[in-house]
Amino acid sequence: MSASWGDQAAAQLAAAGYRRGAARNAVLEVLDREHCALSAFDIEDALRASDRTAGRASIYRILDQLVELQLVTRVETGQGVVRYEAARGEHGHHHHLVCDHCGRLVPFADEELEQTISAVSRRVPFEVSDHEIVLHGACGSCAG
C-alpha cells in the first residue's frame, strides 16, 4: 500500500529540515482529505470544525513551505483570492471553474483540453512543463 499524500508531504518536510508540529500535521490532514483547492481561511475553518486549531500565521507559513517544496499548488482564483491544493501529479490533475458571484470553485478535467494544450505546445514550439486553467463566470445557481 502506498503512503498517502499527507505522509509523503510530512516526510519531505522533515527531510528538508522543517520542524514537526501539531499545526503542520493538522494542515496536512485537511489538505490530504480535499481533492480541490482551499483558501487559508477554508483550512482554518476546517480545523476549527474538527476541534483543532492553528493560528492563521502558522497556516500561511506551512502553506509557504509546502509551495516551496512543490507539495502544494497555489491556485490564483482572482479578486485577490489564493487557494492551495495538494500536488498529486497527473493522477489528480484538474482545472477550475470559479463563480464570480458566489465564489464557488468547481474542479474539472477535460481530455480534449489536455490534447489541445499538447498540440499548441508542439506547434509553437514550447515545452510546457505545467499549466493551470481557471475559467471565470457564473455557476448554475447564480446565472439563473
Side-chain angles (χ1 to χ4, degrees):
M1 181 174 174
S2 64
S4 71
W5 173 88
D7 292 339
Q8 293 172 3
Q12 288 185 38
L13 285 163
Y18 291 110
R19 291 183 16 217
R20 300 173 198 255
R24 184 180 84 183
N25 291 341
V27 169
L28 291 177
E29 287 173 19
V30 169
L31 290 170
D32 200 16
R33 282 194 308 264
E34 291 296 322
H35 293 286
C36 198
L38 298 171
S39 70
F41 296 109
D42 295 334
I43 293 168
E44 186 176 22
D45 288 345
L47 293 175
R48 194 176 304 113
S50 65
D51 293 326
R52 298 178 84 173
T53 59
R56 193 168 298 151
S58 294
I59 293 170
Y60 277 111
R61 180 179 37 78
I62 294 161
L63 290 170
D64 286 344
Q65 293 167 353
L66 292 167
V67 168
E68 179 183 326
L69 294 174
Q70 299 179 349
L71 296 167
V72 163
T73 302
R74 284 175 53 101
V75 179
E76 306 277 345
T77 57
Q79 300 174 340
V81 177
V82 176
R83 298 182 190 215
Y84 303 85
E85 67 185 348
R88 300 181 196 275
E90 286 302 310
H91 176 69
H93 180 74
H94 60 264
H95 302 290
H96 301 95
L97 303 167
V98 179
C99 179
D100 291 326
H101 302 280
C102 70
R104 183 172 174 219
L105 182 73
V106 179
F108 77 95
D110 185 290
E111 186 57 37
E112 190 174 332
L113 176 60
E114 299 302 325
Q115 292 171 0
T116 300
I117 291 168
S118 292
V120 169
S121 175
R122 288 188 303 274
R123 191 170 48 244
V124 172
F126 185 86
E127 187 174 328
V128 175
S129 60
D130 194 18
H131 64 274
E132 174 186 315
I133 307 293
V134 179
L135 302 176
H136 290 265
C139 68
S141 298
C142 292

